[in-house]
């Protein structure tokens, strides 16, 4: 009976997906917010409601129908990307992992998915968003060098490095923004539809009361150290000009680097804030520290980032901050 119910629900949701996709793409709005955010959100909810088997069945049948009706491989490709990201968020949300682990792992895996989808899309439909974005950044570099006097005074190596950073950070923001947005909104929608249970319910409560839990949520220690080692190794590779000579692999590695760096800094700031509170500092002092640190981070990025990460690692090992706040958060969630 349960299997029949899930199959029926998956069939109805698939039918809705097909109809809405055909209308959205046919009206010209499907290549914007719909394929990038609504499709993954839709399959996130299907996964939570129907489980993995019926979600995969729904995805395969839905994509085949959409492709057969529209005859447009581009739509099927970009929809498949959204579906995979939605299912990915659903899988992560059910795991007994921390919220930050889910978001970081989702971003890393999402980077790989988006890059490889872009490879197949460029071969089938002749369009690559990575290549298109690279050409846009190259045009911006040439324009600013010619038309902004102060900018043209910088050495060519600095200009190339600057716009390379802009390019890779912008690419990284795509999977990061998609995964974070779908994951968070999906949990709120799932709660409204009453499909959350177990770990997904706990993670929803953490997000719902994030002002309370923001200084208690961290990546796991193992994942944190893995990303520290990766960012250090990648920085040394960049310093000595070591590259793979494969544009897509370089793009994935850079996405990993900037995603990891963001979560390392975020965890470090949250950890230091939490440590200050345990030592009796007031919220005013914590906020003042945060403002001053962000100002220093903007002025001396690498120095400020390295100091914060190393300091957080030391106090985490010495005082067991992760364990302390994990236990405290569990207590608050059960009350």
């Amino acid at each position: 009976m349960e299997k029949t119910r899930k199959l029926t629900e998956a069939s109805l949701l698939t039918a809705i997906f097909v109809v809405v996709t055909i209308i959205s793409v046919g009206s010209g709005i499907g290549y914007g917010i719909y394929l990038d955010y609504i499709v993954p959100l839709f399959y996130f909810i299907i996964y939570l409601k129907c489980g993995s088997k019926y979600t995969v069945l729904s995805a395969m049948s839905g994509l085949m129908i959409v492709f057969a009706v529209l005859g447009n491989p581009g739509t099927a490709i970009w929809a498949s990307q959204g579906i995979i990201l939605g299912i990915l968020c659903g899988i992560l949300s059910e795991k007994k992992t921390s919220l930050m682990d889910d978001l970081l792992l989702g971003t890393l895996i999402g980077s790989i998915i988006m890059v490889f989808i872009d490879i197949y899309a460029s071969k089938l439909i002749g369009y690559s968003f990575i290549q298109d974005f690279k050409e846009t950044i190259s045009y911006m570099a040439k324009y600013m060098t010619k038309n902004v006097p102060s900018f043209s005074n910088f050495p060519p190596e600095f200009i190339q490095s600057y716009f390379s950073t802009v390019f890779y950070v912008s690419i990284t923001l795509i999977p990061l923004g998609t995964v974070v947005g779908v994951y968070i909104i999906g949990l709120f929608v799932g709660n409204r539809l009453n499909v959350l249970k177990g770990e997904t319910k706990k993670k929803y409560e953490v997000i719902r009361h994030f002002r309370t839990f923001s200084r208690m949520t961290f990546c796991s220690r193992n994942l944190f150290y893995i990303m520290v080692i990766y960012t250090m190794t990648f920085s040394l590779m960049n310093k000595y000009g070591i590259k793979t000579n494969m544009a897509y692999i370089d793009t994935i590695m850079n996405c990993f680097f900037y995603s990891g760096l963001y979560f390392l800094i975020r965890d470090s700031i949250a950890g230091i804030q939490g440590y200050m509170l345990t030592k009796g500092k007031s919220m005013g002092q914590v906020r003042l520290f945060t403002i001053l640190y962000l100002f220093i981070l903007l002025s001396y990025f690498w120095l400020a980032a390295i100091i914060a990460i190393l300091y957080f690692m030391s106090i985490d090992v010495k005082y067991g901050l992760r364990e302390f706040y994990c236990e405290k958060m569990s207590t608050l969630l059960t009350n």
Side-chain angles (χ1 to χ4, degrees), residues 2 16 55 108 151 195 221 264 291:
E2 180 70 14
I16 295 172
T55 303
L108 299 180
F151 196 82
V195 296
R221 186 173 285 115
L264 290 178
I291 294 171

Side-chain angles (χ1 to χ4, degrees), residues 31 51-52 68 78 80 84 93 106 140 195-196 200 204 212 237 302:
Y31 289 97
S52 58
W78 298 123
S80 66
I84 295 171
S93 69
M140 289 173 55
V195 296
L196 302 184
T200 55
Y204 163 75
T212 301
M237 289 174 63
W302 285 111

Side-chain angles (χ1 to χ4, degrees), residues 28-270:
I29 64 173
Y31 289 97
I33 295 176
Y34 179 75
L35 289 179
D36 292 335
Y37 292 98
I38 304 301
V39 170
L41 181 60
F42 194 83
Y43 270 89
F44 182 23
I45 300 301
I46 292 180
Y47 179 87
L48 294 180
K49 191 170 183 63
C50 303
S52 58
K53 181 170 66 175
Y54 296 111
T55 303
V56 172
L57 182 63
S58 168
M60 293 174 62
S61 58
L63 286 173
M64 286 190 292
I65 295 172
V66 167
F67 177 70
V69 173
L70 295 177
N72 184 352
T75 300
I77 290 171
W78 298 123
S80 66
Q81 174 180 287
I83 289 171
I84 295 171
L85 289 176
I87 295 174
L88 171 65
C89 290
I91 292 171
L92 291 172
S93 69
E94 289 187 333
K95 298 294 182 182
K96 288 186 176 181
T97 51
S98 72
L99 174 66
M100 290 303 156
D101 272 6
D102 289 354
L103 297 181
L104 175 54
L105 288 172
T107 301
L108 299 180
I109 299 171
S111 300
I112 298 174
I113 293 169
M114 287 188 170
V115 168
F116 278 98
I117 290 291
D118 188 72
I119 294 174
Y120 288 109
S122 63
K123 291 180 179 179
L124 288 174
I125 62 178
Y127 173 78
S128 167
F129 85 88
I130 291 178
Q131 190 60 38
D132 185 60
F133 205 79
K134 185 177 290 185
E135 291 174 359
T136 302
I137 295 295
S138 178
Y139 172 79
M140 289 173 55
K142 292 178 181 177
Y143 178 84
M144 292 185 68
T145 303
K146 290 180 180 179
N147 297 280
V148 181
S150 59
F151 196 82
S152 60
N153 293 331
F154 289 105
E157 296 80 9
F158 172 83
I159 296 175
Q160 182 180 1
S161 175
Y162 175 81
F163 280 101
S164 176
T165 301
V166 171
F167 169 73
Y168 287 120
V169 169
S170 301
I171 293 296
T172 303
L173 288 174
I174 298 173
L176 176 62
T178 302
V179 169
V180 172
V182 170
Y183 189 98
I184 293 175
I185 296 173
L187 288 179
F188 276 94
V189 174
N191 182 69
R192 295 287 293 180
L193 297 175
N194 199 30
V195 296
L196 302 184
K197 57 184 178 181
E199 291 299 316
T200 55
K201 189 69 175 178
K202 291 179 183 177
K203 291 171 182 177
Y204 163 75
E205 292 297 332
V206 172
I207 294 173
R208 183 186 173 195
H209 301 99
F210 197 70
R211 288 188 63 181
T212 301
F213 294 120
S214 61
R215 298 180 186 89
M216 304 180 192
T217 55
F218 308 96
C219 295
S220 62
R221 186 173 285 115
N222 288 340
L223 185 57
F224 186 90
Y225 286 145
I226 288 171
M227 294 314 301
V228 168
I229 294 170
Y230 178 81
T231 53
M232 289 173 58
T233 304
F234 189 81
S235 297
L236 291 173
M237 289 174 63
N238 274 345
K239 182 178 180 179
Y240 293 104
I242 302 174
K243 295 185 178 294
T244 64
N245 294 323
M246 292 182 284
Y248 286 105
I249 300 299
D250 284 337
T251 301
I252 292 173
M253 292 177 67
N254 274 279
C255 286
F256 280 21
F257 173 73
Y258 289 110
S259 299
L261 190 61
Y262 166 76
F263 281 93
L264 290 178
I265 294 173
R266 183 265 158 207
D267 274 17
S268 298
I269 295 174

